[in-house]
Each structure stands twice: as C-alpha cells, then as structure tokens.
Amino acid sequence: MLKIIRIVLQVFILYLFSLIGSWIVQILSFQFPGSIIGLLLLFGCLYFKIIPGQLIKDGAGFLLTFLALFFIPATVGIMDYPEFLSWVGLGMVLSIIISTTLTIIITGKFCQYLERKLLEKEQIE
Amino acid sequence: MIALFMIIGTIVLFYAMTFIYKRFTYPLLIPIFSTTVLLVIILVLSRIPYDTYMSGGKWINELLGPAVVSMAYPLYMHREKIFKYKTPIILSVLTALFSGLISITIFSKLLSFDDHILLSLLPKSITSPVAIPISEAIGGIPTLTAVFVIFAGLVGAIFGPVIFKVFHIDQAISRGLSVGSASHGIGVSKLAEYGEETLTMGSVSMTLSAIFGSFVCPLFALLI
C-alpha cells in the first residue's frame, strides 16, 4: 500500500515537470513538445543534485514499464481513417518498412565504424 | 460512467494482450499492436465513435507527458557510459534521423503522397509522445503519425534481429543505437533480449532522437 502511495506521489511530481514544460512552451509561444522540456529540466535537476534520484525512481520505473499502454488511445484514433486500408495505405506501410530498414542498416554500419575508430584510438593511447 | 468503462476496458485488454505476448512472443502479437487492433474492431462493431472512447481514453493519454519526462532517469543513471561514447552516440542518432527523413521524403515524392501525409510520416522514428506534438506543429495529422510511429517500431522489433545477422551488425552499441533511433520504444523493448548494454544504448538513442528530432523535424519540414 505504501509503495502504491509512493508511486502515485512520484508520478504526480513527474506530471508537474511535464506541466512546467508545457507552460514554458506556451509562454515562449513556440511549437515544441513540452514533455521534452520537462525531461531536460528533470535531467538537469538530477545532474546538479537539486532533487535526489530516489524522489522519482519508483514513479519513473512504473511509467516506463507501462509506456506502451499510454500510446493506445492515440493509436485507436486510426478508426477515424478507414482510407488507410487502401492501396495508398499499403504504399505508406511499405515506405515505412523500407525507410526504417534502411535507417537501421545505415546507422548500424556507421556506428560500428565509429566504434572501431574509437577503440583504435584508445589502443594507441 | 462510460469514461470509466473505457479506461478499465483498455487496461484489462492491454493486460491480457501482454500476458498472451509473454506466452508466445510472436512479433505481431506485440501488445501495443494487438490491443489497438482489438479495440478498433470492438468499437467499430459496437458503433461507438472515437470521441466517446476518448472521454475515457484521454485520461490514459494524459500520462504520456510524465512518461516522457521519466526517461530522464535512465539517462541520468547511465550518464558515465553515455559521456564516454558521446561522439558515436550523437553522430549515429543524427545519421539515423537524416536517413529516415530523407528516405521517407523520397518514397513519398515517388508515390506522390499528399503533403499532409508526408508531414505525418516525417516523425515516424520518434517515440509517440514526442512524435504527435511534432506532427501537430508541422501540419501533419497526429493520429496518422501515431499509427506510422507504431509501424516504424514494429519494423525494428520484427526485422531488427534479421538485419543484424544479414549486415553483420554485431556490437552491442551499434545494435542499440540503430534500432533505438529508428524504432524507438517498441524496438527498444525487443533489444532487452540482447542484454543490458544494448538496452541502455537503445533507450539513450530513443531519448536523444526525440530531443534532436524536436528541433530537426520542424526545420526539415520547412525545406519540403
């Protein structure tokens, strides 16, 4: 029971960070996801030891475990777009498959090259 | 009352699908995909409009913001490893962002998609809670983006292991960074099977690609 209360309180703290992020975006009136500002703020607070990691650890763990669940209401919105089940829809899906596959190959190969160079440099030093 | 029913229904269905996925681990059974398909079928068959569903769904949706903020925690925990590999990490995430943006733009032009569709496709490799506001900001259709993001995630989870084998991507860091920055959370959840280091790099690249993407996508959209 105590653990549940702790998680709820910690989720509330994380929610505050995301709210502050949205306010900042609104005040500066530029189009940007407020939650990313909240993420950067929280990282800064943790890094400069303004708040201890313990204060949000369980809440963050909880939210990240059920991350997939929070996406569902948005994805169910596809029901309002039946045209997705068409040739154009199929074209979109194929484009995504090819584009994402290419991205993984290019990034993976490039990263492996960078990693090898970093290792060589370390060995020389 | 209806709202509460929708919330509980979504959670119960998701829980059941997670259980089934753990039992069979067949990639297409990934809970985010199977739950969505089932919910859409149930709602359409019982003639419940999306707006009615969202009277409850919006409360679940509300937790996406704090969930994104939570990613600061693993980032903080692994800060030393991240700082050690900062150059390959940053360069790889940027490479992934641009390979994704450029390739999807080429395909969209070849297949002559509507501009709204291309704009909705651009943030496909970024985690949904960030991709959706980006899509809104650049004039895409947020709901379409939500679905495109899932497809991009499934590609990493399903084809990732095959790509690693065929193209000899065999280092933990490159595996984590490539799938994390191309297929965000859904891809990263698959990386757990490759061990702690791959998983960490996956979540780092997913977070960084969300941060960089928030700046790069709107700028790239201006060029189209």
Side-chain angles (χ1 to χ4, degrees):
Chain A
M1 195 56 205
L2 207 66
K3 184 158 176 154
I4 296 175
I5 296 172
R6 190 163 64 224
I7 289 177
V8 171
L9 284 176
Q10 296 193 352
V11 168
F12 186 71
I13 296 173
L14 293 161
Y15 189 70
L16 277 182
F17 269 93
S18 132
L19 270 186
I20 294 170
S22 311
W23 286 337
I24 293 178
V25 171
Q26 248 170 28
I27 291 166
L28 299 178
S29 72
F30 71 127
Q31 293 278 23
F32 193 78
S35 51
I36 287 287
I37 304 277
L39 183 160
L40 294 173
L41 277 177
L42 177 60
F43 185 82
C45 287
L46 291 169
Y47 191 78
F48 294 109
K49 312 256 182 258
I50 298 168
I51 66 166
Q54 285 299 329
L55 193 69
I56 49 110
K57 183 174 179 264
D58 292 334
F62 170 81
L63 288 175
L64 291 177
T65 309
F66 295 101
L67 191 59
L69 170 67
F70 310 136
F71 294 136
I72 288 171
T75 47
V76 170
I78 189 66
M79 63 186 279
D80 281 350
Y81 294 87
E83 56 269 38
F84 203 66
L85 292 172
S86 64
W87 287 112
V88 181
L90 186 72
M92 290 178 211
V93 175
L94 282 177
S95 310
I96 294 173
I97 293 177
I98 301 171
S99 163
T100 310
T101 307
L102 276 176
T103 306
I104 297 176
I105 298 169
I106 296 173
T107 312
K109 280 310 213 186
F110 179 61
C111 180
Q112 219 145 262
Y113 165 78
L114 290 175
E115 214 182 324
R116 220 172 292 135
K117 285 197 84 172
L118 195 77
L119 277 174
E120 279 167 15
K121 215 174 105 192
E122 264 176 15
Q123 274 166 356
I124 293 167
E125 278 162 10
Chain B
M1 194 51 217
I2 292 173
L4 192 69
F5 183 73
M6 294 300 166
I7 296 173
I8 294 172
T10 307
I11 294 173
V12 169
L13 205 59
F14 178 77
Y15 190 79
M17 289 301 121
T18 309
F19 179 77
I20 292 175
Y21 179 66
K22 279 190 180 143
R23 220 30 230 280
F24 301 101
T25 60
Y26 182 66
L28 278 180
L29 282 177
I30 216 155
I32 187 169
F33 184 67
S34 51
T35 311
T36 304
V37 171
L38 278 180
L39 269 174
V40 169
I41 293 173
I42 293 170
L43 291 174
V44 168
L45 287 183
S46 41
R47 294 175 198 280
I48 300 171
Y50 181 58
D51 287 342
T52 311
Y53 170 73
M54 276 312 266
S55 65
K58 68 167 190 254
W59 297 103
I60 299 175
N61 197 49
E62 196 66 13
L63 285 171
L64 271 181
V68 173
V69 172
S70 302
M71 290 179 203
Y73 186 70
L75 219 55
Y76 168 73
M77 290 308 285
H78 296 287
R79 61 195 177 286
E80 275 162 22
K81 181 132 221 177
I82 297 169
F83 286 135
K84 187 183 169 204
Y85 287 104
K86 57 181 180 305
T87 320
I89 291 176
I90 292 175
L91 289 178
S92 303
V93 171
L94 285 175
T95 307
L97 251 174
F98 283 103
S99 339
L101 288 172
I102 295 169
S103 57
I104 203 69
T105 307
I106 293 173
F107 291 131
S108 299
K109 297 283 179 198
L110 281 179
L111 297 171
S112 50
F113 292 153
D114 202 72
D115 267 356
H116 291 292
I117 291 178
L118 169 56
L119 292 170
S120 316
L121 278 165
L122 285 182
K124 72 178 188 325
S125 283
I126 298 169
T127 183
S128 326
V130 180
I132 291 167
I134 292 178
S135 171
E136 248 164 27
I138 62 180
I141 303 161
T143 310
L144 279 186
T145 300
V147 180
F148 294 154
V149 168
I150 301 232
F151 280 121
L154 289 171
V155 171
I158 298 168
F159 299 125
V162 184
I163 299 173
F164 292 163
K165 245 182 232 149
V166 175
F167 291 90
H168 303 290
I169 298 168
D170 37 28
Q171 301 294 316
I173 298 179
S174 33
R175 283 178 169 174
L177 287 178
S178 57
V179 167
S181 47
S183 301
H184 53 87
I186 301 177
V188 170
S189 63
K190 183 77 188 173
L191 290 176
E193 295 168 23
Y194 292 90
E196 169 89 357
E197 198 182 10
T198 317
L199 183 65
T200 305
M201 285 299 152
S203 29
V204 167
S205 57
M206 150 186 173
T207 314
L208 281 182
S209 114
I211 297 173
F212 294 165
S214 308
F215 294 98
V216 173
C217 273
L219 291 176
F220 191 86
L222 289 177
L223 295 176
I224 298 167

